[in-house]
């Protein structure tokens, strides 16, 4: 049994969905769970719905109508029959979305985020499942929220693996169906409130299902030939990495590599399930394989760039040392705002941390920090990580740029740059 995950780019339009169906036809004799992300940039658009819903902006309705028009344009192209049931299924999802934003929001932004943004995957899987069934590839649409149970940590829910395994094995029965189509990114609490697993969390969902069902392998289908040593959007002459260990893949995702969600590795590592990253544009190519004994090339430099960084330099107001109590207090405040620290440097009298600027509440965080500390900050920075670095590569990528913080270890060099 295999787990396949298709991201937003692989279902961005009618042609992409037809291509997905062609890939699956190659595996029609396999037992499959197919995890689908939201179509194209739908998640970004739904984040705008959340923002306007919370702010009371009338643009809310325009955003929803735009998302609906995009989905029905794809449906019109894929389903010439105007009586196809998928139209009612998708329309029902939009009615539920409209209903959820027709009442005043709660005071919890992250809770509302999960209830709204989760519609992206519910919509995409309705379309993909219907298209596969109408084109000779039988599959069952499955609501991931009935299988993946979590706590109520909104936007970064924690999985209850024991309960999720019990529910998943009750739901997935390959004696009845050879293929199940389900959503990435979403789960639910025991009281059936929708949760999300973190941005780009569909990879994590695929790994969870692989773990719960003891899959033979998990494959993530992307628009790149595998895991590259750098993002071609920012770097030239990129190289494909043929193989990686679980450990190396975790390090890369921790530093900010966007090819795989950071939490993907652990559930696969625990069951020694290989992860393949392959191109849906070149489906015959092997791509990159991640596993236990992969012996990766430790000489190829790997470059990771995180944009939109803020450097916070925090100092006690009373000129006391930056000790464990103060550091703990600062980290507690950052955690309360769901802000992850990407880089840290400490001196006797200050703590400097680089964080990705949050999409809301940054000013409120600053006000709270300034109650107890003197705070200075720099906006608009880049965090560059070079794995397997050389002096030549460091010079090439940092020359002419202001370096705010620099750190080096045996294999990794990191620079916070303007």
């Amino acid at each position: 049994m295999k787990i396949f995950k298709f991201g937003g780019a692989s279902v961005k339009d009618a042609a992409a969905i037809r291509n997905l169906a062609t890939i699956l036809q190659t595996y029609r004799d396999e037992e499959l769970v197919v995890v689908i992300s939201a179509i194209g940039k739908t998640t970004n658009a739904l984040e705008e719905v959340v923002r306007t819903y919370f702010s009371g902006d009338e643009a809310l309705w325009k955003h929803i109508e735009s998302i609906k028009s995009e989905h029905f344009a794809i449906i019109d192209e894929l389903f010439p029959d105007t009586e196809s049931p998928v139209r009612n299924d998708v329309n029902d999802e939009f009615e539920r979305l409209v209903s959820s934003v027709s009442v005043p929001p709660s005071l919890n932004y992250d809770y509302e985020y999960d209830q709204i943004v989760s519609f992206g995957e519910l919509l995409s899987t309705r379309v993909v499942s219907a298209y596969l069934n109408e084109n000779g590839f039988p599959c069952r649409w499955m609501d991931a929220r009935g299988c993946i149970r979590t706590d109520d940590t909104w936007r970064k829910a924690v999985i209850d693996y024991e309960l999720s395994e019990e529910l998943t094995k009750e739901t997935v029965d390959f004696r009845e169906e050879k293929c199940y189509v389900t959503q990435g990114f979403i789960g639910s609490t025991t009281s059936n409130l929708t949760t999300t697993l973190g941005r780009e969390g569909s990879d994590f969902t695929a790994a969870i299902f692989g773990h719960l069902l003891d899959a033979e392998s998990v494959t993530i289908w992307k628009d790149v030939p595998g895991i590259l040593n750098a993002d071609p959007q920012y770097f030239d002459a990129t190289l494909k990495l043929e193989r990686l260990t679980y450990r190396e893949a975790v390090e890369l995702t921790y530093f900010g590599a966007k090819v795989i969600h950071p939490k993907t590795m652990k559930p696969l590592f625990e069951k020694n399930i290989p992860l393949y990253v392959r191109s849906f544009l070149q489906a015959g190519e092997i791509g990159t394989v991640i596993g236990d004994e992969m012996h990766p090339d430790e000489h190829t430099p790997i470059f990771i760039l995180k944009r939109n960084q803020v450097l916070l330099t925090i100092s006690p107001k009373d000129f006391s040392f930056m000790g464990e109590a103060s550091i703990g207090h600062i980290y507690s405040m950052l955690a309360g705002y769901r802000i992850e620290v990407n880089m840290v440097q400490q001196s006797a009298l200050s703590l400097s941390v680089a964080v990705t600027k949050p999409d809301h509440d940054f000013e409120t965080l600053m006000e709270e920090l300034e109650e107890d500390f003197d705070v200075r900050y720099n906006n608009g920075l880049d965090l560059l990580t070079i794995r397997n670095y050389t002096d030549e590569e460091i010079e090439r990528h940092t020359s002419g740029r202001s370096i705010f913080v620099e750190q080096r270890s045996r294999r990794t060099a990191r620079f916070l740059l303007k």
Side-chain angles (χ1 to χ4, degrees), residues 212-244:
L212 300 179
L213 294 168
D214 296 306
E216 172 190 336
S217 64
V218 173
T219 301
I220 296 173
W221 297 89
K222 301 185 73 70
D223 57 357
V224 291
I227 296 179
L228 304 179
N229 72 323
D231 187 337
Q233 180 180 354
Y234 304 122
F235 299 89
D236 55 10
T238 58
L239 301 171
K240 187 183 79 172
L241 304 172
E242 301 291 339
R243 62 190 69 83
L244 289 170

PDB file of all heavy atoms in Angstrom, residues 212-244:
ATOM      1  N   LEU A 212       0.198   5.423  10.174  1.00  0.00           N
ATOM      2  CA  LEU A 212      -0.970   4.746  10.733  1.00  0.00           C
ATOM      3  C   LEU A 212      -1.309   3.464   9.991  1.00  0.00           C
ATOM      4  O   LEU A 212      -1.817   2.506  10.587  1.00  0.00           O
ATOM      5  CB  LEU A 212      -2.184   5.686  10.704  1.00  0.00           C
ATOM      6  CG  LEU A 212      -2.056   7.004  11.493  1.00  0.00           C
ATOM      7  CD1 LEU A 212      -3.328   7.830  11.338  1.00  0.00           C
ATOM      8  CD2 LEU A 212      -1.765   6.743  12.965  1.00  0.00           C
ATOM      9  N   LEU A 213      -1.024   3.446   8.681  1.00  0.00           N
ATOM     10  CA  LEU A 213      -1.401   2.303   7.849  1.00  0.00           C
ATOM     11  C   LEU A 213      -0.216   1.427   7.478  1.00  0.00           C
ATOM     12  O   LEU A 213      -0.364   0.500   6.674  1.00  0.00           O
ATOM     13  CB  LEU A 213      -2.091   2.807   6.574  1.00  0.00           C
ATOM     14  CG  LEU A 213      -3.449   3.491   6.784  1.00  0.00           C
ATOM     15  CD1 LEU A 213      -3.893   4.199   5.509  1.00  0.00           C
ATOM     16  CD2 LEU A 213      -4.504   2.489   7.235  1.00  0.00           C
ATOM     17  N   ASP A 214       0.967   1.689   8.071  1.00  0.00           N
ATOM     18  CA  ASP A 214       2.175   0.905   7.782  1.00  0.00           C
ATOM     19  C   ASP A 214       2.419   0.802   6.279  1.00  0.00           C
ATOM     20  O   ASP A 214       2.585  -0.282   5.713  1.00  0.00           O
ATOM     21  CB  ASP A 214       2.065  -0.494   8.399  1.00  0.00           C
ATOM     22  CG  ASP A 214       1.999  -0.445   9.918  1.00  0.00           C
ATOM     23  OD1 ASP A 214       2.886   0.154  10.527  1.00  0.00           O
ATOM     24  OD2 ASP A 214       1.027  -0.990  10.497  1.00  0.00           O
ATOM     25  N   ALA A 215       2.465   1.955   5.631  1.00  0.00           N
ATOM     26  CA  ALA A 215       2.597   2.007   4.180  1.00  0.00           C
ATOM     27  C   ALA A 215       3.954   1.487   3.720  1.00  0.00           C
ATOM     28  O   ALA A 215       4.951   1.543   4.446  1.00  0.00           O
ATOM     29  CB  ALA A 215       2.403   3.437   3.690  1.00  0.00           C
ATOM     30  N   GLU A 216       3.966   1.008   2.491  1.00  0.00           N
ATOM     31  CA  GLU A 216       5.217   0.591   1.855  1.00  0.00           C
ATOM     32  C   GLU A 216       6.114   1.793   1.578  1.00  0.00           C
ATOM     33  O   GLU A 216       7.341   1.720   1.718  1.00  0.00           O
ATOM     34  CB  GLU A 216       4.875  -0.127   0.546  1.00  0.00           C
ATOM     35  CG  GLU A 216       6.035  -0.461  -0.344  1.00  0.00           C
ATOM     36  CD  GLU A 216       5.572  -0.949  -1.710  1.00  0.00           C
ATOM     37  OE1 GLU A 216       4.438  -1.452  -1.822  1.00  0.00           O
ATOM     38  OE2 GLU A 216       6.355  -0.815  -2.677  1.00  0.00           O
ATOM     39  N   SER A 217       5.496   2.893   1.184  1.00  0.00           N
ATOM     40  CA  SER A 217       6.245   4.120   0.895  1.00  0.00           C
ATOM     41  C   SER A 217       5.286   5.293   0.878  1.00  0.00           C
ATOM     42  O   SER A 217       4.062   5.131   0.785  1.00  0.00           O
ATOM     43  CB  SER A 217       6.970   4.023  -0.453  1.00  0.00           C
ATOM     44  OG  SER A 217       6.029   3.921  -1.508  1.00  0.00           O
ATOM     45  N   VAL A 218       5.866   6.497   0.970  1.00  0.00           N
ATOM     46  CA  VAL A 218       5.112   7.741   0.807  1.00  0.00           C
ATOM     47  C   VAL A 218       5.794   8.519  -0.314  1.00  0.00           C
ATOM     48  O   VAL A 218       7.021   8.630  -0.335  1.00  0.00           O
ATOM     49  CB  VAL A 218       5.092   8.579   2.102  1.00  0.00           C
ATOM     50  CG1 VAL A 218       4.457   9.945   1.860  1.00  0.00           C
ATOM     51  CG2 VAL A 218       4.343   7.834   3.212  1.00  0.00           C
ATOM     52  N   THR A 219       4.989   9.036  -1.247  1.00  0.00           N
ATOM     53  CA  THR A 219       5.527   9.826  -2.350  1.00  0.00           C
ATOM     54  C   THR A 219       4.870  11.193  -2.362  1.00  0.00           C
ATOM     55  O   THR A 219       3.640  11.298  -2.330  1.00  0.00           O
ATOM     56  CB  THR A 219       5.292   9.138  -3.706  1.00  0.00           C
ATOM     57  OG1 THR A 219       5.916   7.860  -3.704  1.00  0.00           O
ATOM     58  CG2 THR A 219       5.864   9.978  -4.841  1.00  0.00           C
ATOM     59  N   ILE A 220       5.702  12.231  -2.399  1.00  0.00           N
ATOM     60  CA  ILE A 220       5.219  13.599  -2.541  1.00  0.00           C
ATOM     61  C   ILE A 220       5.495  14.035  -3.970  1.00  0.00           C
ATOM     62  O   ILE A 220       6.645  14.069  -4.408  1.00  0.00           O
ATOM     63  CB  ILE A 220       5.924  14.539  -1.536  1.00  0.00           C
ATOM     64  CG1 ILE A 220       5.564  14.134  -0.103  1.00  0.00           C
ATOM     65  CG2 ILE A 220       5.549  15.994  -1.796  1.00  0.00           C
ATOM     66  CD1 ILE A 220       6.330  14.889   0.958  1.00  0.00           C
ATOM     67  N   TRP A 221       4.428  14.340  -4.717  1.00  0.00           N
ATOM     68  CA  TRP A 221       4.546  14.758  -6.116  1.00  0.00           C
ATOM     69  C   TRP A 221       4.578  16.274  -6.175  1.00  0.00           C
ATOM     70  O   TRP A 221       3.656  16.938  -5.721  1.00  0.00           O
ATOM     71  CB  TRP A 221       3.376  14.211  -6.924  1.00  0.00           C
ATOM     72  CG  TRP A 221       3.322  12.712  -6.989  1.00  0.00           C
ATOM     73  CD1 TRP A 221       2.691  11.876  -6.115  1.00  0.00           C
ATOM     74  CD2 TRP A 221       3.932  11.878  -7.971  1.00  0.00           C
ATOM     75  NE1 TRP A 221       2.867  10.567  -6.492  1.00  0.00           N
ATOM     76  CE2 TRP A 221       3.621  10.534  -7.630  1.00  0.00           C
ATOM     77  CE3 TRP A 221       4.705  12.129  -9.107  1.00  0.00           C
ATOM     78  CZ2 TRP A 221       4.073   9.456  -8.392  1.00  0.00           C
ATOM     79  CZ3 TRP A 221       5.146  11.057  -9.875  1.00  0.00           C
ATOM     80  CH2 TRP A 221       4.823   9.736  -9.513  1.00  0.00           C
ATOM     81  N   LYS A 222       5.652  16.823  -6.792  1.00  0.00           N
ATOM     82  CA  LYS A 222       5.848  18.268  -6.836  1.00  0.00           C
ATOM     83  C   LYS A 222       6.196  18.720  -8.252  1.00  0.00           C
ATOM     84  O   LYS A 222       6.336  17.876  -9.153  1.00  0.00           O
ATOM     85  CB  LYS A 222       6.937  18.688  -5.858  1.00  0.00           C
ATOM     86  CG  LYS A 222       6.633  18.291  -4.405  1.00  0.00           C
ATOM     87  CD  LYS A 222       7.678  18.820  -3.449  1.00  0.00           C
ATOM     88  CE  LYS A 222       7.556  20.311  -3.251  1.00  0.00           C
ATOM     89  NZ  LYS A 222       6.353  20.689  -2.482  1.00  0.00           N
ATOM     90  N   ASP A 223       6.380  20.022  -8.423  1.00  0.00           N
ATOM     91  CA  ASP A 223       6.727  20.555  -9.735  1.00  0.00           C
ATOM     92  C   ASP A 223       8.224  20.708  -9.918  1.00  0.00           C
ATOM     93  O   ASP A 223       8.685  21.439 -10.797  1.00  0.00           O
ATOM     94  CB  ASP A 223       6.022  21.894  -9.987  1.00  0.00           C
ATOM     95  CG  ASP A 223       6.328  22.936  -8.923  1.00  0.00           C
ATOM     96  OD1 ASP A 223       7.040  22.599  -7.951  1.00  0.00           O
ATOM     97  OD2 ASP A 223       5.857  24.076  -9.050  1.00  0.00           O
ATOM     98  N   VAL A 224       9.005  20.031  -9.092  1.00  0.00           N
ATOM     99  CA  VAL A 224      10.462  19.997  -9.215  1.00  0.00           C
ATOM    100  C   VAL A 224      10.888  18.531  -9.331  1.00  0.00           C
ATOM    101  O   VAL A 224      10.143  17.634  -8.921  1.00  0.00           O
ATOM    102  CB  VAL A 224      11.147  20.665  -8.000  1.00  0.00           C
ATOM    103  CG1 VAL A 224      10.913  22.159  -8.013  1.00  0.00           C
ATOM    104  CG2 VAL A 224      10.652  20.065  -6.684  1.00  0.00           C
ATOM    105  N   PRO A 225      12.079  18.249  -9.896  1.00  0.00           N
ATOM    106  CA  PRO A 225      12.481  16.859 -10.139  1.00  0.00           C
ATOM    107  C   PRO A 225      12.859  16.081  -8.885  1.00  0.00           C
ATOM    108  O   PRO A 225      13.158  14.893  -8.965  1.00  0.00           O
ATOM    109  CB  PRO A 225      13.681  17.005 -11.069  1.00  0.00           C
ATOM    110  CG  PRO A 225      14.226  18.358 -10.788  1.00  0.00           C
ATOM    111  CD  PRO A 225      13.038  19.212 -10.475  1.00  0.00           C
ATOM    112  N   GLY A 226      12.845  16.714  -7.748  1.00  0.00           N
ATOM    113  CA  GLY A 226      13.220  16.095  -6.476  1.00  0.00           C
ATOM    114  C   GLY A 226      13.586  17.213  -5.522  1.00  0.00           C
ATOM    115  O   GLY A 226      13.170  18.367  -5.706  1.00  0.00           O
ATOM    116  N   ILE A 227      14.355  16.896  -4.516  1.00  0.00           N
ATOM    117  CA  ILE A 227      14.839  17.931  -3.609  1.00  0.00           C
ATOM    118  C   ILE A 227      16.105  18.529  -4.210  1.00  0.00           C
ATOM    119  O   ILE A 227      17.078  17.815  -4.487  1.00  0.00           O
ATOM    120  CB  ILE A 227      15.125  17.360  -2.211  1.00  0.00           C
ATOM    121  CG1 ILE A 227      13.821  16.853  -1.580  1.00  0.00           C
ATOM    122  CG2 ILE A 227      15.755  18.423  -1.311  1.00  0.00           C
ATOM    123  CD1 ILE A 227      13.990  16.248  -0.205  1.00  0.00           C
ATOM    124  N   LEU A 228      16.087  19.813  -4.439  1.00  0.00           N
ATOM    125  CA  LEU A 228      17.236  20.503  -5.014  1.00  0.00           C
ATOM    126  C   LEU A 228      18.116  21.064  -3.903  1.00  0.00           C
ATOM    127  O   LEU A 228      17.676  21.231  -2.761  1.00  0.00           O
ATOM    128  CB  LEU A 228      16.772  21.631  -5.924  1.00  0.00           C
ATOM    129  CG  LEU A 228      15.818  21.238  -7.056  1.00  0.00           C
ATOM    130  CD1 LEU A 228      15.429  22.461  -7.867  1.00  0.00           C
ATOM    131  CD2 LEU A 228      16.431  20.173  -7.949  1.00  0.00           C
ATOM    132  N   ASN A 229      19.356  21.366  -4.257  1.00  0.00           N
ATOM    133  CA  ASN A 229      20.267  21.909  -3.240  1.00  0.00           C
ATOM    134  C   ASN A 229      20.011  23.389  -2.969  1.00  0.00           C
ATOM    135  O   ASN A 229      20.653  23.983  -2.101  1.00  0.00           O
ATOM    136  CB  ASN A 229      21.726  21.683  -3.650  1.00  0.00           C
ATOM    137  CG  ASN A 229      22.155  22.584  -4.792  1.00  0.00           C
ATOM    138  OD1 ASN A 229      21.379  22.856  -5.704  1.00  0.00           O
ATOM    139  ND2 ASN A 229      23.400  23.033  -4.751  1.00  0.00           N
ATOM    140  N   ALA A 230      19.049  23.980  -3.689  1.00  0.00           N
ATOM    141  CA  ALA A 230      18.679  25.375  -3.464  1.00  0.00           C
ATOM    142  C   ALA A 230      17.371  25.657  -4.187  1.00  0.00           C
ATOM    143  O   ALA A 230      16.995  24.921  -5.114  1.00  0.00           O
ATOM    144  CB  ALA A 230      19.773  26.316  -3.962  1.00  0.00           C
ATOM    145  N   ASP A 231      16.685  26.696  -3.764  1.00  0.00           N
ATOM    146  CA  ASP A 231      15.459  27.112  -4.424  1.00  0.00           C
ATOM    147  C   ASP A 231      15.816  27.855  -5.707  1.00  0.00           C
ATOM    148  O   ASP A 231      16.461  28.908  -5.660  1.00  0.00           O
ATOM    149  CB  ASP A 231      14.667  28.033  -3.482  1.00  0.00           C
ATOM    150  CG  ASP A 231      13.295  28.393  -4.023  1.00  0.00           C
ATOM    151  OD1 ASP A 231      13.097  28.323  -5.248  1.00  0.00           O
ATOM    152  OD2 ASP A 231      12.418  28.764  -3.211  1.00  0.00           O
ATOM    153  N   PRO A 232      15.404  27.332  -6.879  1.00  0.00           N
ATOM    154  CA  PRO A 232      15.785  27.995  -8.137  1.00  0.00           C
ATOM    155  C   PRO A 232      15.188  29.390  -8.290  1.00  0.00           C
ATOM    156  O   PRO A 232      15.634  30.156  -9.150  1.00  0.00           O
ATOM    157  CB  PRO A 232      15.239  27.037  -9.213  1.00  0.00           C
ATOM    158  CG  PRO A 232      14.208  26.207  -8.522  1.00  0.00           C
ATOM    159  CD  PRO A 232      14.652  26.100  -7.093  1.00  0.00           C
ATOM    160  N   GLN A 233      14.225  29.734  -7.441  1.00  0.00           N
ATOM    161  CA  GLN A 233      13.688  31.091  -7.455  1.00  0.00           C
ATOM    162  C   GLN A 233      14.749  32.109  -7.015  1.00  0.00           C
ATOM    163  O   GLN A 233      14.723  33.269  -7.432  1.00  0.00           O
ATOM    164  CB  GLN A 233      12.467  31.167  -6.536  1.00  0.00           C
ATOM    165  CG  GLN A 233      11.805  32.531  -6.468  1.00  0.00           C
ATOM    166  CD  GLN A 233      10.606  32.542  -5.548  1.00  0.00           C
ATOM    167  OE1 GLN A 233      10.190  31.510  -5.035  1.00  0.00           O
ATOM    168  NE2 GLN A 233      10.048  33.721  -5.322  1.00  0.00           N
ATOM    169  N   TYR A 234      15.691  31.652  -6.170  1.00  0.00           N
ATOM    170  CA  TYR A 234      16.685  32.565  -5.600  1.00  0.00           C
ATOM    171  C   TYR A 234      18.117  32.235  -6.002  1.00  0.00           C
ATOM    172  O   TYR A 234      19.011  33.073  -5.859  1.00  0.00           O
ATOM    173  CB  TYR A 234      16.598  32.540  -4.068  1.00  0.00           C
ATOM    174  CG  TYR A 234      15.233  32.873  -3.525  1.00  0.00           C
ATOM    175  CD1 TYR A 234      14.558  31.975  -2.700  1.00  0.00           C
ATOM    176  CD2 TYR A 234      14.616  34.082  -3.821  1.00  0.00           C
ATOM    177  CE1 TYR A 234      13.313  32.282  -2.196  1.00  0.00           C
ATOM    178  CE2 TYR A 234      13.368  34.394  -3.316  1.00  0.00           C
ATOM    179  CZ  TYR A 234      12.718  33.484  -2.497  1.00  0.00           C
ATOM    180  OH  TYR A 234      11.481  33.779  -1.996  1.00  0.00           O
ATOM    181  N   PHE A 235      18.374  30.997  -6.454  1.00  0.00           N
ATOM    182  CA  PHE A 235      19.747  30.570  -6.723  1.00  0.00           C
ATOM    183  C   PHE A 235      19.836  29.963  -8.124  1.00  0.00           C
ATOM    184  O   PHE A 235      18.899  29.305  -8.585  1.00  0.00           O
ATOM    185  CB  PHE A 235      20.199  29.513  -5.693  1.00  0.00           C
ATOM    186  CG  PHE A 235      20.185  30.002  -4.275  1.00  0.00           C
ATOM    187  CD1 PHE A 235      19.049  29.883  -3.488  1.00  0.00           C
ATOM    188  CD2 PHE A 235      21.312  30.583  -3.719  1.00  0.00           C
ATOM    189  CE1 PHE A 235      19.033  30.334  -2.175  1.00  0.00           C
ATOM    190  CE2 PHE A 235      21.312  31.034  -2.415  1.00  0.00           C
ATOM    191  CZ  PHE A 235      20.165  30.912  -1.635  1.00  0.00           C
ATOM    192  N   ASP A 236      20.992  30.153  -8.760  1.00  0.00           N
ATOM    193  CA  ASP A 236      21.186  29.578 -10.082  1.00  0.00           C
ATOM    194  C   ASP A 236      21.944  28.257  -9.981  1.00  0.00           C
ATOM    195  O   ASP A 236      22.466  27.895  -8.920  1.00  0.00           O
ATOM    196  CB  ASP A 236      21.934  30.556 -10.996  1.00  0.00           C
ATOM    197  CG  ASP A 236      23.268  31.012 -10.399  1.00  0.00           C
ATOM    198  OD1 ASP A 236      23.686  30.427  -9.380  1.00  0.00           O
ATOM    199  OD2 ASP A 236      23.864  31.960 -10.946  1.00  0.00           O
ATOM    200  N   ALA A 237      21.955  27.505 -11.081  1.00  0.00           N
ATOM    201  CA  ALA A 237      22.729  26.255 -11.194  1.00  0.00           C
ATOM    202  C   ALA A 237      22.423  25.283 -10.063  1.00  0.00           C
ATOM    203  O   ALA A 237      23.326  24.751  -9.411  1.00  0.00           O
ATOM    204  CB  ALA A 237      24.231  26.561 -11.246  1.00  0.00           C
ATOM    205  N   THR A 238      21.142  25.045  -9.820  1.00  0.00           N
ATOM    206  CA  THR A 238      20.761  24.116  -8.752  1.00  0.00           C
ATOM    207  C   THR A 238      21.008  22.667  -9.170  1.00  0.00           C
ATOM    208  O   THR A 238      21.004  22.329 -10.353  1.00  0.00           O
ATOM    209  CB  THR A 238      19.282  24.291  -8.383  1.00  0.00           C
ATOM    210  OG1 THR A 238      18.477  24.081  -9.549  1.00  0.00           O
ATOM    211  CG2 THR A 238      19.024  25.677  -7.830  1.00  0.00           C
ATOM    212  N   LEU A 239      21.213  21.810  -8.162  1.00  0.00           N
ATOM    213  CA  LEU A 239      21.452  20.388  -8.386  1.00  0.00           C
ATOM    214  C   LEU A 239      20.420  19.564  -7.629  1.00  0.00           C
ATOM    215  O   LEU A 239      19.994  19.934  -6.535  1.00  0.00           O
ATOM    216  CB  LEU A 239      22.852  19.998  -7.885  1.00  0.00           C
ATOM    217  CG  LEU A 239      24.045  20.729  -8.514  1.00  0.00           C
ATOM    218  CD1 LEU A 239      25.318  20.376  -7.738  1.00  0.00           C
ATOM    219  CD2 LEU A 239      24.183  20.368  -9.987  1.00  0.00           C
ATOM    220  N   LYS A 240      20.019  18.444  -8.221  1.00  0.00           N
ATOM    221  CA  LYS A 240      19.108  17.539  -7.518  1.00  0.00           C
ATOM    222  C   LYS A 240      19.895  16.654  -6.560  1.00  0.00           C
ATOM    223  O   LYS A 240      20.952  16.124  -6.905  1.00  0.00           O
ATOM    224  CB  LYS A 240      18.341  16.658  -8.511  1.00  0.00           C
ATOM    225  CG  LYS A 240      17.261  15.808  -7.857  1.00  0.00           C
ATOM    226  CD  LYS A 240      16.576  14.892  -8.842  1.00  0.00           C
ATOM    227  CE  LYS A 240      17.416  13.663  -9.132  1.00  0.00           C
ATOM    228  NZ  LYS A 240      16.710  12.644  -9.945  1.00  0.00           N
ATOM    229  N   LEU A 241      19.384  16.501  -5.340  1.00  0.00           N
ATOM    230  CA  LEU A 241      19.979  15.588  -4.371  1.00  0.00           C
ATOM    231  C   LEU A 241      19.333  14.219  -4.558  1.00  0.00           C
ATOM    232  O   LEU A 241      18.118  14.075  -4.443  1.00  0.00           O
ATOM    233  CB  LEU A 241      19.742  16.110  -2.951  1.00  0.00           C
ATOM    234  CG  LEU A 241      20.253  17.539  -2.682  1.00  0.00           C
ATOM    235  CD1 LEU A 241      19.798  18.023  -1.312  1.00  0.00           C
ATOM    236  CD2 LEU A 241      21.770  17.604  -2.803  1.00  0.00           C
ATOM    237  N   GLU A 242      20.147  13.214  -4.868  1.00  0.00           N
ATOM    238  CA  GLU A 242      19.600  11.889  -5.181  1.00  0.00           C
ATOM    239  C   GLU A 242      19.032  11.201  -3.952  1.00  0.00           C
ATOM    240  O   GLU A 242      18.034  10.486  -4.042  1.00  0.00           O
ATOM    241  CB  GLU A 242      20.688  11.005  -5.806  1.00  0.00           C
ATOM    242  CG  GLU A 242      21.289  11.564  -7.092  1.00  0.00           C
ATOM    243  CD  GLU A 242      20.300  11.551  -8.249  1.00  0.00           C
ATOM    244  OE1 GLU A 242      19.327  10.793  -8.194  1.00  0.00           O
ATOM    245  OE2 GLU A 242      20.517  12.320  -9.209  1.00  0.00           O
ATOM    246  N   ARG A 243      19.681  11.398  -2.795  1.00  0.00           N
ATOM    247  CA  ARG A 243      19.242  10.694  -1.583  1.00  0.00           C
ATOM    248  C   ARG A 243      19.595  11.520  -0.350  1.00  0.00           C
ATOM    249  O   ARG A 243      20.557  12.296  -0.353  1.00  0.00           O
ATOM    250  CB  ARG A 243      19.886   9.313  -1.508  1.00  0.00           C
ATOM    251  CG  ARG A 243      21.397   9.329  -1.424  1.00  0.00           C
ATOM    252  CD  ARG A 243      21.991   7.945  -1.595  1.00  0.00           C
ATOM    253  NE  ARG A 243      21.819   7.462  -2.944  1.00  0.00           N
ATOM    254  CZ  ARG A 243      22.632   7.763  -3.965  1.00  0.00           C
ATOM    255  NH1 ARG A 243      23.680   8.556  -3.754  1.00  0.00           N
ATOM    256  NH2 ARG A 243      22.426   7.292  -5.151  1.00  0.00           N
ATOM    257  N   LEU A 244      18.796  11.341   0.678  1.00  0.00           N
ATOM    258  CA  LEU A 244      19.020  12.005   1.959  1.00  0.00           C
ATOM    259  C   LEU A 244      18.645  11.043   3.074  1.00  0.00           C
ATOM    260  O   LEU A 244      17.752  10.203   2.912  1.00  0.00           O
ATOM    261  CB  LEU A 244      18.149  13.259   2.082  1.00  0.00           C
ATOM    262  CG  LEU A 244      18.480  14.486   1.226  1.00  0.00           C
ATOM    263  CD1 LEU A 244      17.348  15.503   1.336  1.00  0.00           C
ATOM    264  CD2 LEU A 244      19.793  15.110   1.677  1.00  0.00           C
TER     265      LEU A 244
END
